Amino acid sequence: MWRAALTPFLLFAVLLGADFQSQAEAQEQGQEQVDVALVLAIDVSRSMSQEELELQRRGYAAAIASPEVIRAIDLGARGRIALKMFEWANDNHLRVIVDWSLIDEAADAQAFSDQVLADRSFSQRRTSISGAITHAAELLEDVPFRADRHVIDISGDGPNNHGRAVTIARDAALEKGITINGLPLMTTGGPGSQFNIPDLDVYYRKCVTGGPASFVIPVTDWAQFPDAVRRKLILEIGGFEPEQPLVQPVQFTFEEPYDCMIGEKIWDQLREQFFLDP
C-alpha cells in the first residue's frame, strides 16, 4: 500500500528532476528557456489583394500585442515565448518580417507588433505551402532559445501549387516533433480566386496540419480575422486543442480519401488555358 502511495511522488520527482536537468543544459548553452518557439508563416500570394495583405498584417499585429495573448504568455510554465514571422508565396519567396524575439512582457509584444506594422507586404506569384513549412522547420532547428514545444502557424488562402508536395513537407516537419496549425483564409473578393478551392479548411486538415494538439481555424470573413488570430495564438501558446465551436464543422470522415494535389492540378489546367508559366 505504501508503495502505491509513493508512486505519484516518485513520478513527480522524476519529472521535476528532468525539468531541472533541461534548465541546467539550457543555462550551460547560454539559452533562455521558453514555453514555445512559434513561427508565423504569412501568405502573400497574388490571390490576395493589397488591401487583404494589409488587413492580415494589422490583424497579426493587434493579436500579438493584445492583453489576452500577454495573459496567455504569463500563464505559461516559464512565462515567455520565442516568436518569429516571415512571409511566403512561391517556393523561392521567403522573407523575414521580424526575427526571433523573446516575448515575456507586454512591451516585448508591442515591439514585435510595431515591427510587423512598420513593414509592408507585396504579393508574389504562386503558392508553395510546402516551401513555407520546410523553411519554418529549418528556422525552428536554429531557434536561439530552448523551447518546450516547436509550432508552425501557417495562414493562406489557397492550396499548394508550387514546389514539392505539401504532404511530404508536412510529414518531414512532423517527424521532427513540430506541430503545424492552420488558418485557412476562405474569404472571397481577392484576385486569382480561380486557383482557390471551396473546402480549404478540409484541405488544411487533411494535407497541411498535424502534430500534438494541432488544429485549424477557418476565416470566412476578414472581420473575423483579428479575433481568429488572437484565439489561435492563445491556443498555441497554451498548447491546447480548441473546442469544437472554434472550428468550423466539415462534413466528411477522416477515412475518406482526399486529393492533396488538387492545387497542382488546378494550376496545370489553368496553365494550359491561359498559357501560364510552369
Side-chain angles (χ1 to χ4, degrees), residues 76-97:
R78 310 189 191 286
R80 65 181 76 91
I81 67 169
L83 197 60
K84 182 166 186 168
M85 176 184 283
F86 75 92
E87 63 180 21
W88 59 273
N90 59 67
D91 198 33
N92 300 311
H93 181 78
L94 302 159
R95 189 170 76 93
V96 173
I97 305 304

Side-chain angles (χ1 to χ4, degrees), residues 11-275:
L11 178 60
F12 174 76
V14 169
L15 293 174
L16 188 62
D19 186 58
F20 284 149
Q21 181 180 4
S22 66
Q23 289 185 37
E25 291 174 354
Q27 292 172 358
E28 184 178 342
Q29 298 171 9
Q31 293 179 319
E32 290 262 20
Q33 284 192 287
V34 296
D35 291 305
V36 60
L38 176 59
V39 177
L40 307 177
I42 313 301
D43 180 13
V44 295
S45 59
R46 282 187 181 166
S47 53
M48 297 178 65
S49 67
Q50 190 62 44
E51 180 184 8
E52 289 174 330
L53 293 176
E54 292 174 3
L55 285 169
Q56 182 173 232
R57 283 227 181 208
R58 291 201 296 269
Y60 269 100
I64 291 165
S66 68
E68 295 85 354
V69 169
I70 302 304
R71 190 176 304 113
I73 295 172
D74 288 340
L75 290 174
R78 310 189 191 286
R80 65 181 76 91
I81 67 169
L83 197 60
K84 182 166 186 168
M85 176 184 283
F86 75 92
E87 63 180 21
W88 59 273
N90 59 67
D91 198 33
N92 300 311
H93 181 78
L94 302 159
R95 189 170 76 93
V96 173
I97 305 304
V98 186
D99 210 343
W100 281 117
S101 303
L102 183 68
I103 313 292
D104 65 358
E105 60 182 9
D108 299 324
Q110 187 60 57
F112 193 102
S113 175
D114 291 343
Q115 290 186 69
V116 172
L117 293 176
D119 196 87
R120 188 180 183 190
S121 297
F122 295 94
S123 60
Q124 302 289 326
R125 63 194 301 271
R126 305 294 292 270
T127 301
S128 182
I129 301 175
S130 59
I133 292 175
T134 299
H135 182 62
E138 291 171 351
L139 295 177
L140 286 168
E141 288 183 354
D142 296 328
V143 60
F145 304 98
R146 188 179 182 91
D148 294 340
R149 293 177 290 114
H150 286 179
V151 178
I152 298 171
D153 175 324
I154 189 160
S155 62
D157 73 339
N160 193 79
N161 63 32
H162 195 238
R164 64 177 175 167
V166 66
T167 51
I168 295 176
R170 176 202 61 190
D171 293 347
L174 298 186
E175 287 179 2
K176 298 176 181 178
I178 297 171
T179 294
I180 306 172
N181 297 321
L183 192 72
L185 307 177
M186 303 173 67
T187 56
T188 59
S193 59
Q194 67 270 32
F195 296 101
N196 295 339
I197 55 176
D199 60 343
L200 188 63
D201 52 349
V202 182
Y203 176 86
Y204 263 67
R205 280 185 170 278
K206 299 290 286 185
C207 311
V208 178
T209 61
S214 64
F215 59 88
V216 172
I217 299 182
V219 173
T220 56
D221 188 288
W222 279 104
Q224 305 169 349
F225 187 77
D227 182 58
V229 174
R230 183 168 57 251
R231 289 183 294 165
K232 190 165 184 281
L233 290 175
I234 290 170
L235 291 166
E236 287 166 333
I237 292 166
F240 302 115
E241 188 171 359
E243 296 179 358
Q244 189 63 26
L246 292 180
V247 181
Q248 179 178 316
V250 290
Q251 301 301 318
F252 74 106
T253 64
F254 285 98
E255 288 73 26
E256 293 180 6
Y258 190 90
D259 185 3
C260 290
M261 296 295 290
I262 183 65
E264 288 84 350
K265 291 178 179 178
I266 292 174
W267 179 269
D268 286 340
Q269 292 172 358
L270 294 174
R271 179 171 61 86
E272 295 177 359
Q273 182 179 350
F274 296 105
F275 303 102

